[in-house]
Amino acid sequence: MSSKIETETAKKSDESNEVNSTSHDAKKSDEFSVSNDAEKDSDEAEVKVETKSVTLRKTEIIAAQYNTVYHKIVILFSAFLVGYGYGLDSQIRSVFTSYATSSYSTHPLLSTVNVIEAVVAAATQPAYARLSDVFGRLQLFIVSILFYSVGTIIQSQSYDVQRYAGGSVLYYIGYTGVILVLLLILSDFSSLKWRLFYTFVPTFPFIINTWISGNVTAAVGGNNWSWGVGMWAFIFPLSCVPMLCCMLHMRWLAGKTDEWKQLMEENRIEKRRFSVAATDYYNFAVHLFWKLDVIGLLLLVTSLGCLLVPLTLAGGEVQIWRQGKIIGPLVLGFVLIPIFVVFEHKFAKYPIAPFDLVKDRGVWSALLISFLYDFIFYMACDYLYTVLIIAVNESTESATRIDTIGSFVGVVASPFFGLFIVKFKRLKGFMIFGCTLWLVACGMLLRYRSGEESHSGIIGALCVMGLGTCFFSYPINVSLQSVTTHENMANVSCLVYTTYRIGAAVGSSVSGAIWTQTLYNKLLEYMGDATLAASAYDSPYEFILIYTWGTPERDAMVEAYRYVQKLETLVAVVFCAPLLIATFFLRDPKLTDEQAQTKLRRGELVFRADDDVIQVWFDKLWNKVVFKLKSS
């Protein structure tokens, strides 16, 4: 989410760090709006930051065309339809992916597919963010839809796990692009105090999808997973048509305004001034190469892929840790980590995570929460659907609904929470509460993990988790956007989603490693038959059709699943502690009617004068403790 913030030193001349931007309009001839407080030192005076990027100024003009209540309802309804499309698809596709890997007799590789998808998503987030600031939101939205559809078609026609994973790569490039660009569009249209409500809107369809997703998967049938995936190649693009029409209409209205014409004239003058750079496609390609940080992204993707994918492949019926195809990628992944760090710090012109931005506690704590959020979720829920079917004896329809009930609870609470924040205008306290609920939920999943008596306990745990998600998952991005400028909004949003996807990749990898390293051995231990254990391990859904609930073979399978799920959820519980601790380091600025943070102290990239009530309370408590210790 490249925003163009320029630091004062030549060494860090990243456009995504341009904060002290010059004015572009006669009505805004003053570059900074300086505080009149005479007691402030000139270096610490608050300044009003204006948008410098031509593309972002176009975006602001376009967004201003839909400024009535009617227009806002139309754009929100269009976002709702987009969310309905990708939301229902993602819910049932995860189920059909499970059936697809089982049909290939490679069900344990489910986590491998998830890791590949998450790594690809992590790499595409910065590219989408920066390209959206260069070319515009509409263009990137259309590109995302194309990737989404092409990847879906490839997945639906795959006859082995390798081709399915290849389709997943293209699908996830489109999927993550749609979500990110839609978030940026809604952020462009909302003020900070309304931001949370706006970003919640694409999640509202989960209220409906939770109850119909099970019907869809049951109607299509697990054995007909190819059609269950393929139908979204045309359903999803249709759900995006209203949003595309709105964006085209806004662009048409903006083209008739004086501000747009003036901006175009300024742009033409600028191009004439730099005619060589404007007409030389080679120079533009080189600039775009560095702007997208292609080398850094390749190093990141290669490192993550080499480290994480082998963890999900090395287990199973035969342990292959000592083979070169496992050791080689792991060594390469570890070697690339310091290379990536050095390149980003020393050579990248536009680093993925600018140090001057990330070093602030309001940024790094939010990124840590984003990483742990998805890591913990995948540890607790990566194989939950399979556990529900195999170890709790749920039907396909029931398991699908239970697997999505957390999303349902979170979405039901979200509009009320979003509207409440419009008046309350603070987020940090609620985020602490939400992370506490996650700790409780993971503890419940550790307790209830097998047997029909776990039915209610798992539902209760997912409801608590869903409510906690409402209070901290989406507020993470709003919290970050509230401490930076519009120029930097895409960049920080990109960082949140990138760490979110990395967390998913690491979570899926660790979850898959635990699953593949322990499940087969436990099945063999409880069943005492290598042939039965191999069949139950590779094709669990086919196995339970033969060995129904209550048979000795099924009971042995349940015990094995219970043991492995205990290890998975135990890791999730442990990592809930740093998740909760990280929330206390967040900043807590008051959410205003501005589109982004407009006041910064001179030289700052992050708004630090946030009047954090919680932090002040802890500071006072700490001072009292220190005073008493010194007194004693």
Side-chain angles (χ1 to χ4, degrees):
M1 301 189 163
S2 81
S3 340
K4 302 172 178 179
I5 308 184
E6 186 172 8
T7 58
E8 295 177 355
T9 62
K11 181 180 177 181
K12 297 176 181 177
S13 59
D14 185 347
E15 281 184 11
S16 67
N17 292 332
E18 294 176 6
V19 174
N20 300 326
S21 55
T22 57
S23 58
H24 62 277
D25 191 86
K27 296 179 180 179
K28 299 180 179 180
S29 57
D30 293 334
E31 179 177 359
F32 299 117
S33 173
V34 184
S35 171
N36 292 325
D37 188 351
E39 296 180 357
K40 286 186 177 180
D41 183 74
S42 59
D43 290 336
E44 297 181 351
E46 290 185 349
V47 298
K48 181 160 182 155
V49 184
E50 298 173 359
T51 304
K52 182 178 180 180
S53 163
V54 172
T55 304
L56 288 180
R57 286 158 63 187
K58 288 180 181 178
T59 300
E60 292 173 354
I61 297 173
I62 290 173
Q65 305 312 305
Y66 271 32
N67 57 359
T68 66
V69 174
Y70 168 77
H71 285 130
K72 292 183 183 297
I73 292 175
V74 170
I75 199 75
L76 288 176
F77 179 72
S78 300
F80 173 89
L81 292 179
V82 176
Y84 193 99
Y86 73 69
L88 181 57
D89 180 18
S90 64
Q91 284 183 276
I92 67 174
R93 190 178 301 220
S94 62
V95 174
F96 288 131
T97 298
S98 181
Y99 281 103
T101 53
S102 181
S103 71
Y104 305 140
S105 296
T106 55
H107 180 265
L109 295 183
L110 174 63
S111 60
T112 305
V113 175
N114 290 336
V115 168
I116 293 171
E117 291 176 343
V119 170
V120 170
T124 56
Q125 301 285 359
Y128 270 116
R130 298 182 179 192
L131 287 173
S132 70
D133 280 351
V134 173
F135 295 106
R137 317 294 197 217
L138 174 61
Q139 292 83 341
L140 267 294
F141 193 61
I142 294 173
V143 170
S144 302
I145 296 171
L146 291 175
F147 272 110
Y148 191 109
S149 298
V150 172
T152 298
I153 293 172
I154 294 174
Q155 278 186 302
S156 67
Q157 300 304 307
S158 299
Y159 50 85
D160 58 35
V161 72
Q162 291 83 4
R163 288 170 176 78
Y164 192 88
S168 296
V169 169
L170 296 180
Y171 157 72
Y172 241 75
I173 290 175
Y175 174 74
T176 55
V178 166
I179 293 178
L180 184 58
V181 176
L182 184 63
L183 171 69
L184 294 178
I185 292 171
L186 293 175
S187 298
D188 291 333
F189 277 87
S190 58
S191 63
L192 286 172
K193 70 178 185 181
W194 280 97
R195 184 70 43 80
L196 185 61
F197 181 83
Y198 272 57
T199 53
F200 271 142
V201 169
T203 70
F204 289 170
F206 277 93
I207 298 175
I208 306 170
N209 293 344
T210 299
W211 306 110
I212 69 171
S213 57
N215 299 86
V216 174
T217 54
V220 174
N223 293 329
N224 198 21
W225 60 265
S226 179
W227 169 246
V229 172
M231 62 184 179
W232 293 100
F234 59 88
I235 294 177
F236 176 71
L238 288 175
S239 71
C240 297
V241 170
M243 176 61 74
L244 291 171
C245 291
C246 286
M247 297 174 73
L248 290 171
H249 183 229
M250 284 183 284
R251 170 62 182 84
W252 177 72
L253 292 175
K256 299 173 18 177
T257 63
D258 293 335
E259 293 86 354
W260 185 275
K261 294 175 182 177
Q262 181 178 343
L263 184 59
M264 293 299 98
E265 181 61 28
E266 290 180 16
N267 199 27
R268 281 192 292 271
I269 294 173
E270 196 70 17
K271 284 184 178 180
R272 285 197 297 267
R273 186 181 303 172
F274 301 101
S275 57
V276 175
T279 57
D280 190 339
Y281 291 105
Y282 173 78
N283 287 345
F284 176 73
V286 170
H287 169 74
L288 199 60
F289 176 85
W290 290 107
K291 182 70 176 176
L292 296 179
D293 194 14
V294 174
I295 297 177
L297 289 177
L298 288 176
L299 289 172
L300 176 64
V301 172
T302 306
S303 176
L304 289 175
C306 288
L307 285 173
L308 302 178
V309 173
L311 296 180
T312 66
L313 299 174
E317 301 171 41
V318 180
Q319 303 294 324
I320 56 175
W321 281 106
R322 296 183 180 180
Q323 295 186 13
K325 64 181 181 181
I326 298 298
I327 297 176
L330 286 174
V331 172
L332 178 60
F334 279 112
V335 170
L336 288 178
I337 290 177
I339 295 176
F340 169 74
V341 173
V342 171
F343 176 81
E344 289 295 297
H345 184 64
K346 296 289 186 181
F347 303 103
K349 294 183 179 180
Y350 307 99
I352 297 172
F355 179 74
D356 286 345
L357 185 68
V358 175
K359 69 181 181 180
D360 186 83
R361 67 176 175 88
V363 178
W364 65 255
S365 60
L367 299 182
L368 179 60
I369 292 170
S370 183
F371 172 85
L372 291 174
Y373 162 67
D374 232 21
F375 174 81
I376 293 169
F377 176 81
Y378 273 88
M379 290 306 308
C381 302
D382 199 10
Y383 287 94
L384 183 60
Y385 178 83
T386 306
V387 170
L388 288 168
I389 295 288
I390 305 298
V392 189
N393 197 30
E394 300 287 349
S395 65
T396 299
E397 183 177 349
S398 175
T400 304
R401 286 177 176 172
I402 293 173
D403 198 32
T404 58
I405 198 166
S407 299
F408 171 78
V409 172
V411 173
V412 167
S414 64
F416 302 102
F417 180 51
L419 291 173
F420 177 76
I421 291 299
V422 174
K423 294 296 182 182
F424 191 77
K425 301 177 183 177
R426 299 278 185 177
L427 289 172
K428 184 173 178 176
F430 297 101
M431 296 177 71
I432 293 173
F433 177 65
C435 291
T436 304
L437 291 180
W438 261 49
L439 178 60
V440 174
C442 289
M444 294 176 67
L445 287 175
L446 181 62
R447 166 65 179 82
Y448 302 102
R449 58 186 189 277
S450 69
E452 292 181 325
E453 66 277 6
S454 295
H455 171 84
S456 300
I458 293 175
I459 292 176
L462 294 178
C463 288
V464 174
M465 180 175 280
L467 185 61
T469 301
C470 170
F471 285 120
F472 81 91
S473 64
Y474 279 85
I476 294 173
N477 190 56
V478 178
S479 175
L480 262 182
Q481 290 183 355
S482 67
V483 298
T484 190
T485 63
H486 190 205
E487 291 277 1
N488 210 28
M489 184 180 71
N491 200 30
V492 295
S493 299
C494 155
L495 289 175
V496 166
Y497 276 84
T498 299
T499 53
Y500 171 85
R501 297 300 177 184
I502 293 175
V506 177
S508 291
S509 179
V510 175
S511 173
I514 293 174
W515 194 268
T516 56
Q517 293 300 306
T518 57
L519 181 58
Y520 175 76
N521 293 331
K522 283 297 173 181
L523 288 169
L524 183 60
E525 176 185 341
Y526 291 130
M527 291 182 177
D529 187 317
T531 303
L532 280 177
S535 177
Y537 179 77
D538 290 328
S539 305
Y541 300 128
E542 288 77 8
F543 185 87
I544 64 174
L545 295 177
I546 301 172
Y547 301 99
T548 56
W549 189 259
T551 60
E553 294 82 0
R554 181 68 173 274
D555 290 342
M557 194 177 187
V558 169
E559 284 301 312
Y561 270 64
R562 176 179 175 82
Y563 176 83
V564 177
Q565 187 66 1
K566 174 185 177 181
L567 300 180
E568 302 268 10
T569 52
L570 186 60
V571 174
V573 170
V574 170
F575 278 90
C576 279
L579 174 72
L580 180 59
I581 293 172
T583 58
F584 289 95
F585 290 91
L586 291 167
R587 295 197 178 276
D588 195 23
K590 190 174 183 180
L591 304 181
T592 65
D593 290 315
E594 300 288 346
Q595 183 190 46
Q597 187 59 245
T598 58
K599 292 185 178 181
L600 295 171
R601 295 187 185 279
R602 196 177 301 278
E604 288 183 349
L605 301 180
V606 176
F607 182 66
R608 295 187 173 92
D610 54 338
D611 189 26
D612 188 342
V613 177
I614 296 175
Q615 185 66 36
V616 169
W617 186 84
F618 273 101
D619 287 342
K620 290 181 179 179
L621 180 63
W622 175 252
N623 291 334
K624 287 182 180 179
V625 172
V626 172
F627 178 76
K628 288 184 179 181
L629 290 175
K630 289 182 178 180
S631 300
S632 60

